[in-house]
Amino acid sequence: MNNNIRRGLVLVISSPSGAGKTTICKKIIEDINNIELSVSVTTRKKRKDEIDGKDYFFRTEAEFSSLENKKKFLENANVFGYSYGTLKREVISKIQKGIDVIVDIDWQGTRQIQKHIPNDIVKVFILPPSIKELENRLGNRASEDKKNFIKRMSEARKEISHYTEYDFVIINHQIEKAVSQIKTILFSERNRRHRQLNLNKFIDNLK
Ligand code: 5GP
């Protein structure tokens, strides 16, 4: 019987907004057992279809600062003029219990998490199939006004320039294919030797 105990991993997924990241993350959570999505805190306004506590914890700047002062964040950054942060409680205790966690964050947050828990993270960057497609997707987002759209396109280009800091790069030509590629990465990473905590004991029993 294989009763290996595994340490969970943190699957960091970054991309420019509009590359399909949110949809991809949701599909992975739906399809795979033992993986959860980390819910971030943000000070940006809630979009029409978003739910507080599910998509984000929507908080004021003062509430965000208070969490920061209390050292509740594993990482936090300013993205598009708003504060975003990953709570330690959404990640650390889960990976200790062997549950994998997806964090959908930008390159700044990725660098911070890399510093704190380098052995626990797997970094995936998702690219849109073309800049035209990215424009279409961002332009179609009803809640974005024109000024915001231009700002997001410029931020998207900046985010893309950081792809070299990631372990894996996936081009999202087709959502199902991108999901399947990320699943392959996840299943392989779950088998890394250093994540299998009682291998020594298991090997002893094989002798
Ligand atoms: P949106 O506001 O469109 O949901 O997200 C904007 C950007 O903020 C995305 O690139 C997303 O990955 C990033 N983001 C979301 N949550 C966090 C977080 O907790 N930390 C960091 N550093 N970035 C985040």
Side-chain angles (χ1 to χ4, degrees):
M1 192 177 75
N2 184 351
N3 58 354
N4 272 357
I5 301 164
R6 187 172 66 79
R7 183 169 170 86
L9 58 84
V10 179
L11 188 63
V12 174
I13 307 222
S14 297
S15 78
S17 343
K21 179 177 46 175
T22 311
T23 315
I24 288 173
C25 291
K26 284 185 179 155
K27 279 191 185 289
I28 292 170
I29 300 290
E30 275 166 24
D31 291 356
I32 299 176
N33 287 332
N34 210 48
I35 185 159
E36 294 177 8
L37 197 55
S38 158
V39 179
S40 292
V41 180
T42 185
T43 59
R44 85 144 159 78
K45 283 201 202 85
K46 191 163 84 65
R47 293 186 188 125
K48 217 173 58 212
D49 51 345
E50 289 177 326
I51 298 169
D52 184 35
K54 184 168 173 274
D55 297 289
Y56 282 102
F57 297 110
F58 295 96
R59 296 292 180 264
T60 62
E61 282 293 350
E63 288 166 338
F64 194 96
S65 297
S66 161
L67 290 167
E68 194 177 354
N69 292 337
K70 289 181 196 149
K71 309 240 178 301
K72 299 286 184 191
F73 290 120
L74 179 61
E75 64 76 33
N76 62 285
N78 189 289
V79 190
F80 317 132
Y82 295 103
S83 302
Y84 290 81
T86 305
L87 292 165
K88 287 179 186 163
R89 68 148 203 257
E90 288 283 310
V91 176
I92 302 298
S93 58
K94 290 182 185 166
I95 60 172
Q96 283 167 348
K97 283 185 214 149
I99 299 166
D100 300 325
V101 181
I102 297 189
V103 292
D104 161 351
I105 60 173
D106 81 328
W107 65 271
Q108 305 172 80
T110 305
R111 278 190 184 174
Q112 293 171 43
I113 297 192
Q114 168 79 41
K115 229 188 241 166
H116 293 308
I117 46 170
N119 293 328
D120 293 320
I121 72 169
V122 179
K123 295 170 290 178
V124 177
F125 198 88
I126 298 171
L127 289 171
S130 67
I131 202 75
K132 190 93 210 108
E133 181 61 32
L134 186 66
E135 281 172 356
N136 286 343
R137 290 186 196 172
L138 284 184
N140 285 339
R141 211 174 255 184
S143 60
E144 308 295 340
D145 59 29
K146 182 85 181 147
K147 205 171 124 232
N148 216 345
F149 168 69
I150 293 167
K151 198 166 139 208
R152 282 193 175 236
M153 278 307 294
S154 129
E155 292 292 342
R157 289 192 169 89
K158 270 191 226 154
E159 185 75 25
I160 289 172
S161 72
H162 290 277
Y163 78 95
T164 51
E165 296 172 35
Y166 289 75
D167 304 311
F168 298 94
V169 176
I170 305 284
I171 302 170
N172 184 15
H173 290 288
Q174 206 249 326
I175 208 104
E176 288 305 333
K177 185 153 183 243
V179 169
S180 140
Q181 285 173 313
I182 296 173
K183 283 182 190 172
T184 305
I185 293 167
L186 176 70
F187 293 145
S188 305
E189 288 289 336
R190 282 180 168 179
N191 291 319
R192 285 234 183 237
R193 179 157 42 87
H194 76 266
R195 301 209 162 96
Q196 301 190 45
L197 299 180
N198 68 348
L199 261 191
N200 283 349
K201 219 164 126 198
F202 185 78
I203 298 291
D204 280 347
N205 287 332
L206 289 180
K207 285 176 189 162

